Amino acid sequence: MTAAPNRPRYFALIPAAGVGARMEAGSPKQYLAIAGKPMLRHALDAFLASPLIAHTYVVVSADDGVIDTVVPEHGVTVLRCGGATRMESILNGLHAVHGCIDAHDQVLVHDAARPGLTPALIEKLITEVGDHAAGGLLALPVVDTVKRAGPGSLSAQTVPRDGLWLAQTPQMFSYALLHQALSEAPDPQAITDDASAVEALGLAPKLVEGHPRNLKVTLPRDIHTAELYLAHP
């Protein structure tokens, strides 16, 4: 896909070097089969089906022996430069594609464990963020009552839910901004997603309402929920 002059191109970057310890599956969770194919392949297929995405990159560990059986023959480049943390993997991936992606091109970072992504959600993110300088992300407004727990898991406080959102991915930022935000993060342990790194620069990414189907598979019980959504695209 060739962008118009001075218009950004859109690239997907999926960090997939994690081990998924909370799944208790004995293997990286991104390769667990969900609805007949590896969880990571669902995410890859969503980007491959979007005409807005110029190319997709997936970052894995150097000794990953499974990825070549999961990625398709065309449209995806495997970067074997995964780090010890998600943030390190993304930074390594950005360094690896330096020169292939321009500073103003947009990078959509997506969790490998979110198999419910669709081309429609990708288009919604790109369209609604537009040229917002601080980028943006898919997220869901909190609708349930939120409780803060005290000692012994006792309810200690009801937290006002007005203005609270649950972050999803993809999270989209220009290559230059994302690289700066992650490189300059004052406390990597406090960076729970890419948007938090951008916020640490004093910027405010745009929240774009996502969909519950784009849930992150973290615990074994999440697999059934994901399969229910995948059965009804």
Side-chain angles (χ1 to χ4, degrees):
M1 185 180 80
T2 301
N6 300 319
R7 294 297 302 168
R9 295 170 297 168
Y10 299 91
F11 295 88
L13 180 63
I14 304 178
V19 298
R22 283 180 286 181
M23 283 297 296
E24 301 176 355
S27 63
K29 67 177 177 181
Q30 60 266 28
Y31 298 132
L32 291 177
I34 291 187
K37 59 185 176 183
M39 183 162 23
L40 172 59
R41 183 58 188 260
H42 286 284
L44 292 172
D45 286 348
F47 286 113
L48 291 172
S50 172
L52 300 175
I53 300 299
H55 196 73
T56 297
Y57 297 94
V58 57
V59 181
V60 300
S61 60
D63 58 354
D64 190 310
V66 180
I67 188 63
D68 290 334
T69 67
V70 174
V71 297
E73 293 183 1
H74 304 288
V76 178
T77 297
V78 176
L79 305 174
R80 297 181 177 275
C81 56
T85 65
R86 180 180 184 276
M87 191 180 89
E88 186 178 342
S89 291
I90 296 171
L91 261 178
N92 289 350
L94 292 176
H95 292 152
V97 300
H98 179 71
C100 299
I101 301 179
D102 294 334
H104 71 288
D105 286 335
Q106 302 291 307
V107 180
L108 285 78
V109 182
H110 185 61
D111 294 329
R114 291 187 187 271
L117 183 65
T118 65
L121 285 171
I122 294 170
E123 180 179 9
K124 183 177 184 182
L125 175 66
I126 291 174
T127 300
E128 294 195 17
V129 171
D131 58 0
H132 185 60
L137 63 150
L138 293 179
L140 289 176
V142 173
V143 295
D144 293 324
T145 298
V146 179
K147 298 289 186 180
R148 188 185 305 279
S153 297
L154 299 177
S155 178
Q157 181 184 9
T158 298
V159 180
R161 65 189 178 202
D162 293 345
L164 293 181
W165 291 64
L166 301 174
Q168 295 186 333
T169 65
Q171 301 191 357
M172 184 178 79
F173 311 95
S174 72
Y175 177 94
L177 176 59
L178 181 59
H179 185 275
Q180 177 190 359
L182 296 179
S183 299
E184 298 180 4
D187 180 8
Q189 299 301 319
I191 303 302
T192 56
D193 67 352
D194 310 296
S196 59
V198 173
E199 292 158 7
L201 296 176
L203 302 175
K206 187 171 184 179
L207 295 170
V208 176
E209 186 165 352
H211 193 281
R213 69 171 288 121
N214 190 29
L215 81 162
K216 185 176 183 180
V217 176
T218 303
L219 301 173
R221 63 173 179 264
D222 299 329
I223 294 177
H224 178 63
T225 304
E227 289 183 326
L228 289 176
Y229 280 117
L230 291 169
H232 301 283

